[in-house]
């Protein structure tokens, strides 16, 4: 996926989970403060630190209250895309590379009381897939989540149940950076989610992780990376 117009800025603060103040350089060399929409409602405490170099996408919607979206941040030399809408877009573009050739792919599919990121059919099988974006990195290991997520836990358990009923199910962790050595559930943050991943694998769910090729104006599916579970 690509962004149309991007610029760099310097992160100042985040008054609430939707808004960030960012310092921008103006055409005459002076600096101005811009209010930006943060396209990730997670904590991102290790990423959005004062002075961090960030990447903004410029909006062309005159009705918006903010003219920019904060989409990426540099953690040292590592560029991390933190747009929470990007993982689904990337997986949609590369769905068959991950799952295999499918007869049809339907995003945002409602099944019973749940809604899954993707539904597809493959060789007569019904396929359900849930995508989780990953922005947390520690010592070269990508981790999810960066804060407890009941919604994520619910999705994994639901897919485990569907796999037990004969459906083909996938949990796809899309790592919004490159160069990691592997992926693991964040057991320290939410041990229940780690155990849920272990139970999902035991039930036949495909729990996979892919990194990304990241640029300031784009995000593309990279390579599969090892999924490290405690069992």
């Amino acid at each position: 996926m690509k962004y149309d117009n991007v610029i760099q800025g310097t992160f100042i603060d985040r008054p609430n989970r939707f808004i960030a103040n960012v310092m921008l350089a103006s055409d005459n060399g002076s600096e101005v403060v811009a209010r930006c929409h943060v396209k990730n409602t997670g904590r991102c405490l290790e990423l959005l630190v004062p002075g961090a170099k960030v990447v903004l996408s410029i909006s062309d919607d005159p009705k918006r209250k903010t003219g920019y979206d904060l989409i990426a941040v540099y953690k040292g030399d590592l560029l991390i895309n933190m747009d929470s809408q990007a993982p689904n877009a990337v997986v949609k573009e590369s769905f068959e590379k991950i799952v295999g050739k499918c007869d049809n792919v339907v995003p945002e599919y409602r099944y019973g009381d749940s809604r899954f990121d993707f539904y597809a059919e493959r060789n007569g099988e019904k396929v359900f897939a849930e995508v989780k974006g990953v922005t947390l990195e520690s010592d070269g290991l990508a981790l999810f989540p960066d804060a407890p997520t009941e919604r994520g836990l619910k999705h994994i358990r639901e897919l485990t149940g569907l796999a037990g009923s004969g459906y083909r199910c996938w949990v796809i962790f899309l790592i919004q950076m490159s160069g990691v050595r592997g992926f693991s559930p964040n057991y320290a943050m939410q041990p229940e989610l780690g155990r849920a991943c272990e139970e999902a694998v035991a039930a036949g769910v495909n729990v996979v992780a892919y990194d990304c090729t990241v640029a300031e104006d784009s995000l593309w599916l990279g390579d599969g990376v090892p999924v490290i579970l405690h069992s």
Side-chain angles (χ1 to χ4, degrees):
M1 63 165 293
K2 283 189 66 67
Y3 299 95
D4 290 333
N5 298 298
V6 300
I7 58 172
Q8 285 189 4
T10 302
F11 178 78
I12 300 173
D13 60 15
R14 188 180 185 182
N16 60 57
R17 62 180 181 154
F18 301 106
I19 296 294
N21 292 314
V22 175
M23 187 72 72
L24 303 178
S26 67
D27 293 337
N28 61 13
S30 63
E31 293 181 324
V32 295
V33 176
R35 285 176 66 82
C36 309
H37 171 61
V38 180
K39 297 196 74 175
N40 188 318
T41 57
R43 295 177 182 175
C44 304
L45 296 178
E46 77 290 349
L47 298 179
L48 295 180
V49 297
K53 183 165 67 174
V54 295
V55 181
L56 311 179
S57 174
I58 303 173
S59 172
D60 58 2
D61 184 354
K63 298 180 181 179
R64 281 185 38 155
K65 293 182 180 180
T66 57
Y68 306 91
D69 291 312
L70 197 160
I71 57 170
V73 58
Y74 281 89
K75 183 182 178 183
D77 294 328
L78 178 63
L79 177 59
I80 301 174
N81 179 290
M82 53 177 289
D83 179 354
S84 61
Q85 297 176 1
N88 279 37
V90 170
V91 170
K92 183 179 180 181
E93 291 172 346
S94 304
F95 192 82
E96 291 191 356
K97 179 179 177 180
I98 299 170
V99 174
K101 186 171 178 57
C102 296
D103 298 326
N104 65 341
V105 179
V106 181
E108 298 294 325
Y109 186 82
R110 186 167 292 280
Y111 183 81
D113 294 330
S114 300
R115 186 175 64 182
F116 295 99
D117 287 329
F118 294 99
Y119 167 80
E121 295 173 0
R122 183 170 185 259
N123 299 328
E125 291 183 314
K126 293 182 178 180
V127 179
F128 293 90
E130 191 66 24
V131 181
K132 302 299 178 188
V134 182
T135 60
L136 178 61
E137 176 271 339
S138 178
D139 296 325
L141 187 65
L143 299 166
F144 177 91
D146 70 348
T149 167
E150 291 304 315
R151 182 172 180 269
L153 181 61
K154 174 177 178 285
H155 285 152
I156 294 170
R157 287 175 171 168
E158 286 174 335
L159 290 174
T160 300
L162 288 172
S165 299
Y167 297 102
R168 193 74 168 160
C169 298
W170 294 74
V171 179
I172 304 166
F173 291 99
L174 200 284
I175 304 164
Q176 294 168 255
M177 66 193 87
S178 62
V180 297
R181 57 183 172 86
F183 164 82
S184 175
N186 193 347
Y187 286 92
M189 175 63 68
Q190 191 174 11
E192 296 87 353
L193 190 136
R195 290 193 293 269
C197 286
E198 296 165 12
E199 293 165 1
V201 171
V205 178
N206 297 279
V207 178
V208 300
Y210 283 80
D211 70 2
C212 286
T213 300
V214 188
E216 292 189 350
D217 66 346
S218 63
L219 187 72
W220 307 107
L221 186 74
D223 299 317
V225 303
V227 175
I228 303 167
L229 302 175
H230 282 183
S231 66

